[in-house]
Amino acid sequence: MAKIISGKEVSEEIKEQLKGEVEELKKQGIFPGLAVIIVGDDPASRVYVNNKKKACERIGIYSEEYALSADVSEDEILSLIDELNRKDSISGILVQLPLPKHISEKNVIERINPKKDVDAFHPVNVGKIMTGDYDFVPCTPAGIMELIDRSGVLVEGKECVVIGRSNIVGKPMAMLLLHRNGTVTVCHSRTKNLREKTKNADILVAAVGKPNFVTGDMVKEGAVVIDVGINRLENKKLVGDVDFETAEKKAAAITPVPGGVGPMTIAMLMKNTVKAAVINKTGR
Ligand code: NAD
């Protein structure tokens, strides 16, 4: 039986800790604030934004929401970002993706002041992650690193396999594991003999977006398995990219879905927002 790594519990601990930090910062005149921009009425995006607002309230972070209609122009979003970049009460700016097709996500992300880019999607922050000299790490990979650390497994020298090469999960995940001296293999839709690679993984991260894609026969005995996937089945059930039942029999530790990586992502967003407040106030 694998150890279940509960992102729910760990994220609660992190949020409690942040609450204390925010209280201390406020005494020093540093007030973290998060602005969230949401465009259109995608139900999943609405749930994410509501959860982010709730987390802010819980920790004592000031938050503003800008809910824009799906036909808003790119120029309007860019001017809003300019305004938020200038606003002292806002230390972090988050644009909930995806955006409607007529708006360039690239233009929008590049308009955010990198020091307020709490998602770490701006090219400046992406570059910093590459060199290892970073302020902000994208929230999902950052949360995964916390979970791996808490599984008690050292990354150094381990075979790490990341399935998925997206800019928000797979690629930054691979870099973080590399910075910790893991031997990293990135697999993707064109990878041949995937099972051969995953069978070799001491640490296996699945960020594919396909329900129950990683089955027990793909997992090495004693591996740490991190399931990033959030897939809604037709019967409304939420499942990950890992077939929990079969993978759990092989793994030493595994994250569940829900209650694994998901809650960590929000906790890390809060952490980045607090960090941004300090950076914007003190330049450090
Ligand atoms: P994406 O669609 O951008 O990327 C999926 C990746 O999977 C691609 O790089 C692709 O090459 C790879 N892939 C597809 N088919 C494959 C196959 N047959 N074999 C090997 N690789 C294959 O997705 P993403 O944004 O990285 O998200 C991945 C999953 O993680 C989704 O389910 C998403 O909902 C979830 N997600 C969760 C969180 C969280 O907070 N828990 C955050 C972001 C994404």
Side-chain angles (χ1 to χ4, degrees):
M1 281 282 275
K3 173 186 167 190
I4 310 297
I5 312 170
S6 167
K8 196 160 178 252
E9 271 171 35
V10 176
S11 68
E12 287 300 315
E13 283 171 31
I14 292 172
K15 283 192 267 183
E16 254 332 282
Q17 208 176 328
L18 284 171
K19 194 175 171 192
E21 270 177 47
V22 168
E23 272 168 28
E24 284 309 307
L25 286 174
K26 285 181 178 171
K27 287 181 196 155
Q28 299 164 37
I30 298 173
F31 295 84
L34 178 69
V36 179
I37 301 176
I38 174 171
V39 183
D41 49 12
D42 176 56
S45 292
R46 177 37 68 198
V47 172
Y48 294 142
V49 167
N50 287 350
N51 288 342
K52 287 166 188 176
K53 271 166 52 183
K54 257 189 245 159
C56 282
E57 272 167 36
R58 151 110 191 261
I59 293 166
I61 295 177
Y62 167 72
S63 73
E64 288 179 359
E65 181 190 309
Y66 295 87
L68 310 176
S69 71
D71 59 0
V72 68
S73 72
E74 187 174 309
D75 278 346
E76 281 173 88
I77 300 185
L78 295 179
S79 341
L80 172 59
I81 292 175
D82 289 343
E83 187 190 317
L84 296 169
N85 280 339
R86 285 191 299 267
K87 207 166 174 178
D88 282 341
S89 57
I90 293 301
S91 27
I93 302 170
L94 180 144
V95 180
Q96 186 65 46
L97 301 178
L99 292 173
K101 294 255 178 311
H102 68 281
I103 297 165
S104 154
E105 288 186 355
K106 180 176 181 289
N107 291 349
V108 168
I109 289 168
E110 289 185 3
R111 195 68 161 240
I112 299 171
N113 174 352
K115 289 193 158 59
K116 294 193 175 186
D117 171 36
V118 283
D119 256 341
F121 292 165
H122 189 288
V124 165
N125 289 321
V126 174
K128 282 171 161 250
I129 291 159
M130 194 76 156
T131 60
D133 166 32
Y134 45 80
D135 297 315
F136 305 119
V137 187
C139 304
T140 302
I144 294 170
M145 287 312 291
E146 289 270 351
L147 293 180
I148 291 174
D149 286 344
R150 297 195 186 220
S151 74
V153 166
L154 285 181
V155 177
E156 179 153 340
K158 295 284 168 11
E159 294 292 335
C160 306
V161 173
V162 180
I163 320 177
R165 56 174 161 186
S166 70
N167 289 334
I168 61 168
V169 188
K171 281 188 210 160
M173 188 68 244
M175 289 314 303
L176 295 189
L177 291 165
L178 190 58
H179 291 318
R180 292 284 198 84
N181 300 318
T183 302
V184 183
T185 306
V186 181
C187 299
H188 46 79
S189 51
R190 309 289 171 88
T191 296
K192 295 202 170 75
N193 305 323
L194 181 66
R195 189 169 163 275
E196 255 172 44
K197 308 209 165 39
T198 59
K199 280 285 283 179
N200 212 19
D202 301 308
I203 297 172
L204 178 61
V205 180
V208 195
K210 295 199 162 129
N212 304 323
F213 180 80
V214 175
T215 44
D217 60 313
M218 296 166 75
V219 175
K220 181 179 174 179
E221 199 77 49
V224 174
V225 179
I226 306 287
D227 188 353
V228 189
I230 303 178
N231 309 293
R232 183 78 64 185
L233 300 181
E234 268 178 25
N235 64 8
K236 299 270 187 287
K237 197 178 166 214
L238 204 64
V239 297
D241 290 346
V242 176
D243 180 46
F244 188 87
E245 234 171 80
T246 55
E248 188 224 14
K249 294 192 172 79
K250 303 286 279 300
I254 187 167
T255 62
V257 175
V261 175
M264 290 302 291
T265 299
I266 295 190
M268 291 299 124
L269 172 68
M270 298 297 113
K271 196 170 174 179
N272 279 349
T273 305
V274 173
K275 194 168 189 187
V278 176
I279 291 173
N280 284 298
K281 183 81 176 185
T282 64
R284 277 183 288 117

